[in-house]
């Protein structure tokens, strides 16, 4: 009995991780002001008539929701105690998973939008509309929320049977549904494939077009957007998707990869900056440039 108590006490002490608390705290310190400022700039200084801006606004909202959950992780890894109950644990976990899903989809939408603007500028004009972008954003949010239903129920049942005060660190691996266990990695791999194809087509188009007929002011920025998108998937989204949703050898690296994945919310503002010739320009300038497209 004494040994069991000592083991429980050791487990509780192991939950306190100043390194994880510092990493998540740094992401909060950077991600919160950067994404809040980016969201304000996108809404106030850019036209929501541009589909790319609409996708970026939704991406910023997704990142801000992630930052809120990281504040709770900072508290947990600082104290080693989760005082908010099972429902808060479920919602915090689901919001983190939603960020991986929604971010990967919205980043892919941005890539596809840039692909259409560069490769098919005339044929895609009637499809690249604000109304279509809003519909796509609504479908994305409904999709990621629907995925939470089965996951949330299973995770909530696991927490009721689990005899411990932890939320993010468990002595036993939480169960994964047979379908949901593969849904996230399949989604991320699919979005990655779309980004790779988009990058290849845009790169080929920019190479084959003559300088005078390209119609793109800054080709370096265009390719930098696609390079950043591919890096997001390779570094942040794909590894954590494998670690969280597959058991085995990945389980030991799960928490470090979650730390790494959370950094994506600090780098997304760079995507917003390089997506526009002038990130600080006014709505009138954006409307004029969109009309010229």
């Amino acid at each position: 009995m004494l040994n069991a108590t000592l083991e429980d006490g050791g487990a509780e002490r192991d939950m306190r991780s100043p390194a994880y608390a510092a990493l998540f705290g740094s992401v909060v310190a950077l991600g919160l002001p950067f994404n809040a400022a980016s969201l304000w700039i996108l809404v106030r200084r850019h036209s929501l008539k541009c589909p790319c801006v609409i996708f970026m606004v939704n991406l910023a909202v997704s990142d801000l929701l992630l930052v809120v959950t990281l504040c709770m992780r900072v508290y947990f890894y600082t104290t080693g105690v989760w005082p908010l109950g099972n429902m808060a644990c479920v919602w915090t976990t689901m919001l983190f998973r939603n960020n991986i899903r929604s971010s990967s989809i919205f980043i892919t939408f941005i890539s596809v939008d840039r692909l259409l603007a560069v490769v098919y500028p005339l044929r895609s004009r009637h499809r690249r509309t604000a109304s279509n972008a809003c519909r796509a954003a609504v479908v994305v949010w409904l999709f990621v929320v629907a995925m939470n239903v089965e996951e949330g129920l299973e995770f909530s049942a696991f927490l009721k049977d689990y005899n411990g005060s932890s939320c993010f660190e468990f002595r036993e691996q939480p169960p994964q549904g047979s379908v949901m266990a593969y849904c996230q990695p399949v989604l991320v791999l699919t979005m990655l494939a779309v980004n790779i194809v988009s990058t290849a087509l845009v790169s080929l188009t920019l190479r084959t077009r003559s300088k005078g007929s390209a119609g793109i002011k800054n080709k370096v920025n265009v390719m930098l957007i696609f390079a950043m998108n591919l890096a997001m998937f390779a570094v942040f989204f794909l590894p954590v998707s494998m670690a969280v949703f597959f058991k085995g050898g990945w389980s030991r690296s799960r928490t470090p990869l979650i730390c790494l994945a959370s950094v994506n919310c600090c780098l997304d503002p760079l995507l917003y900056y390089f997506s526009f010739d002038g990130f600080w320009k006014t709505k009138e300038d954006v409307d004029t440039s969109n009309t010229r497209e």
Side-chain angles (χ1 to χ4, degrees):
M1 191 73 175
L2 179 60
N3 292 335
T5 303
L6 291 175
E7 290 177 359
D8 291 341
E12 292 293 332
R13 283 193 298 271
D14 291 340
M15 294 175 190
R16 302 181 186 182
S17 176
Y20 291 151
L23 287 172
F24 285 125
S26 299
V27 173
V28 172
L30 294 175
L32 182 59
F34 284 175
N35 283 283
S38 298
L39 182 60
W40 185 86
I41 294 170
L42 288 169
V43 173
R44 295 295 299 272
R45 301 187 68 87
H46 290 267
S47 174
L48 292 180
K49 297 178 181 179
C50 176
C52 190
V53 174
I54 293 175
F55 295 142
M56 290 180 183
V57 166
N58 284 273
L59 182 59
V61 171
S62 177
D63 289 337
L64 287 173
L65 291 175
L66 173 64
V67 170
V68 172
T69 69
L70 296 184
C71 296
M72 301 179 185
R73 288 180 183 266
V74 171
Y75 178 85
F76 172 77
Y77 284 113
T78 301
T79 63
V81 177
W82 180 257
L84 300 180
N86 290 348
M87 286 304 300
C89 179
V90 171
W91 282 106
T92 301
T93 304
M94 293 303 107
L95 282 174
F96 174 81
R97 295 181 182 180
N98 281 350
N99 175 260
I100 302 296
R101 296 161 184 163
S102 59
S103 294
S104 63
I105 297 175
F106 285 126
I107 286 176
T108 303
F109 281 175
I110 293 171
S111 295
V112 173
D113 178 76
R114 294 299 87 191
L115 165 69
L116 295 176
V118 173
V119 182
Y120 309 104
L122 297 179
R123 283 186 288 175
S124 65
R125 176 178 294 181
H126 299 293
R127 298 182 180 179
R128 294 176 53 246
T129 62
S131 58
N132 287 339
C134 290
R135 293 190 190 99
V138 171
V139 171
V140 171
W141 287 113
L142 291 176
F143 169 73
V144 296
V145 171
M147 289 186 65
N148 291 156
V149 175
E150 182 179 352
E151 286 181 328
L153 292 175
E154 290 183 356
F155 192 47
S156 180
F158 170 78
L159 291 175
K160 290 181 181 179
D161 298 334
Y162 184 77
N163 296 322
S165 60
S166 64
C167 176
F168 306 112
E169 299 290 337
F170 300 100
R171 290 169 238 163
E172 299 177 5
Q173 185 73 15
Q176 302 292 337
S178 57
V179 176
M180 293 301 171
Y182 294 94
C183 187
Q184 174 135 341
V186 169
L187 172 66
V188 171
L189 287 172
T190 302
M191 297 297 103
L192 175 59
V194 174
N195 277 272
I196 293 175
V197 173
S198 299
T199 302
L201 290 176
V202 170
S203 177
L204 180 62
T205 300
L206 294 180
R207 288 183 179 181
T208 55
R209 283 182 181 177
S210 62
K211 294 183 179 179
S213 62
I216 298 174
K217 296 180 180 179
N218 196 333
K219 297 180 181 180
V220 175
N221 279 7
V222 172
M223 291 310 304
L224 188 58
I225 293 170
F226 287 93
M228 289 178 59
N229 290 348
L230 292 178
M232 287 283 189
F233 278 88
V235 178
F236 301 119
F237 298 151
L238 188 58
V240 75
S241 298
M242 297 298 182
V244 173
F245 290 87
F246 284 105
K247 300 180 181 180
W250 290 94
S251 59
R252 294 183 179 180
S253 59
R254 183 168 56 94
T255 304
L257 288 177
I258 288 176
C259 291
L260 180 63
S262 64
V263 179
N264 84 86
C265 69
C266 299
L267 299 181
D268 283 337
L270 293 177
L271 177 64
Y272 313 145
Y273 179 83
F274 288 110
S275 294
F276 300 100
D277 295 329
F279 185 61
W280 294 92
K281 61 186 177 182
T282 62
K283 289 183 179 180
E284 289 76 13
D285 296 330
V286 179
D287 291 336
T288 302
S289 64
N290 289 338
T291 302
R292 290 175 181 176
E293 288 185 0

